[in-house]
Amino acid sequence: MILILDLDDTLYPERTFVESGFQAVAQWLQSRFSWNANDSLIRMRATLAASGRGVVFDELLSHHGKLRRSLVKDCLKVYRHHKPQIMLAPEARKFIDDWGERLYLVTDGHKVVQHNKIVALGLEHRFTHAYITHRYGINRAKPSPYCFERILTLESCDWRDLIYVGDNPDKDFVTLNKKGSITIRVMTGEHRDVIAKPGHDARYSITNLGELMPLLMKLQFDFKNKKWSKN
């Protein structure tokens, strides 16, 4: 079997990236306009909670009478290109350390943002390959099978040989379920309470990655030889 992991809210809490990005933007605006960085940060958090990510920078700039499309783009660039202050969940770090070889990553999102996350988490050399779907076009994002098909080609294996561990039932599992792969949902992050549509939920669920090893053992995985038992 070939093990594949998701990134955001599977290996680390995505909210910590958002917070890190807001801090970077707040510091940039302080250097640009002398706006108090802490006040900006508080305001961005409040807008996020009330209205979501899409209007955070617009609202902050509007509050200061500086709402211009060029400045919104500047804030977005700072947010996307900053070096994030994020850490792996302890359970994720332990799992990756214990697992060893033949481990893949498939993650959606802006290619620069996702690459910076991978580097910040110290994961750039921990995977056989890390697939950022947007590198191949937005239409290659999950639930597209494209990056999983690339893994099949590299490993010369079948869909039934794949295990995917993710958190988002809207897109992570539906295609792989149809293909006969093993899917595992980590009940973490903003999607943990989402009730999945029929066919969209994973075949198995775990509270966090600390439960992944026991589940794989229950599914008769031979850790010493990195293969599935035929029993």
Side-chain angles (χ1 to χ4, degrees):
M1 284 278 184
I2 307 301
L3 185 61
I4 310 165
L5 303 178
D6 178 40
L7 181 61
D8 298 308
D9 279 337
T10 297
L11 299 183
Y12 83 102
E14 188 178 12
R15 68 180 184 277
T16 61
F17 172 81
V18 175
E19 176 73 11
S20 177
F22 285 177
Q23 290 177 357
V25 172
Q27 290 295 331
W28 180 79
L29 289 170
Q30 179 169 283
S31 65
R32 177 84 180 263
F33 297 113
S34 298
W35 300 345
N36 182 274
N38 190 57
D39 290 346
S40 294
L41 184 59
I42 291 171
R43 193 167 194 93
M44 284 188 283
R45 288 171 179 163
T47 303
L48 176 67
S51 307
R53 297 188 203 180
V55 296
V56 169
F57 303 142
D58 301 66
E59 194 284 331
L60 179 59
L61 293 169
S62 179
H63 172 73
H64 288 282
K66 293 283 188 178
L67 180 56
R68 297 197 300 273
R69 189 50 40 195
S70 61
L71 280 177
V72 173
K73 289 182 178 179
D74 288 342
C75 289
L76 187 57
K77 183 176 181 179
V78 171
Y79 180 87
R80 286 176 171 171
H81 289 259
H82 86 287
K83 295 181 178 180
Q85 303 299 307
I86 53 178
M87 296 178 62
L88 286 173
E91 301 88 355
R93 182 173 298 281
K94 185 177 189 309
F95 179 84
I96 292 171
D97 288 343
D98 291 346
W99 180 257
E101 301 178 23
R102 294 177 69 198
L103 183 63
Y104 287 88
L105 183 79
V106 174
T107 178
D108 291 338
H110 189 283
K111 57 188 179 182
V112 173
V113 172
Q114 298 307 99
H115 173 74
N116 288 346
K117 292 175 183 176
I118 291 168
V119 172
L121 293 169
L123 296 175
E124 63 267 41
H125 303 300
R126 302 304 300 272
F127 294 97
T128 305
H129 191 84
Y131 286 97
I132 299 172
T133 61
H134 284 45
R135 283 179 172 166
Y136 308 97
I138 295 176
N139 63 321
R140 305 299 194 187
K142 296 172 290 183
S144 167
Y146 181 78
C147 287
F148 298 98
E149 289 170 342
R150 293 178 71 95
I151 295 171
L152 293 181
T153 299
L154 281 175
E155 294 288 342
S156 299
C157 65
D158 185 80
W159 285 104
R160 291 170 295 179
D161 296 319
L162 301 185
I163 310 172
Y164 189 58
V165 183
D167 69 292
N168 186 349
D170 288 338
K171 61 178 181 175
D172 283 349
F173 314 117
V174 59
T175 297
L176 295 174
N177 285 341
K178 293 175 182 177
K179 300 288 188 180
S181 305
I182 293 175
T183 51
I184 302 172
R185 179 179 175 184
V186 185
M187 308 299 287
T188 50
E190 65 177 286
H191 303 291
R192 63 184 176 275
D193 297 322
V194 171
I195 298 174
K197 294 179 287 188
H200 282 66
D201 213 347
R203 299 179 187 274
Y204 303 92
S205 64
I206 55 179
T207 303
N208 57 55
L209 286 187
E211 298 178 3
L212 183 54
M213 284 288 197
L215 174 59
L216 294 176
M217 293 177 70
K218 184 178 179 180
L219 295 172
Q220 298 184 322
F221 190 83
D222 183 340
F223 285 93
K224 181 178 179 181
N225 296 307
K226 297 291 190 296
K227 66 182 182 180
W228 292 88
S229 169
K230 295 181 180 180
N231 297 333

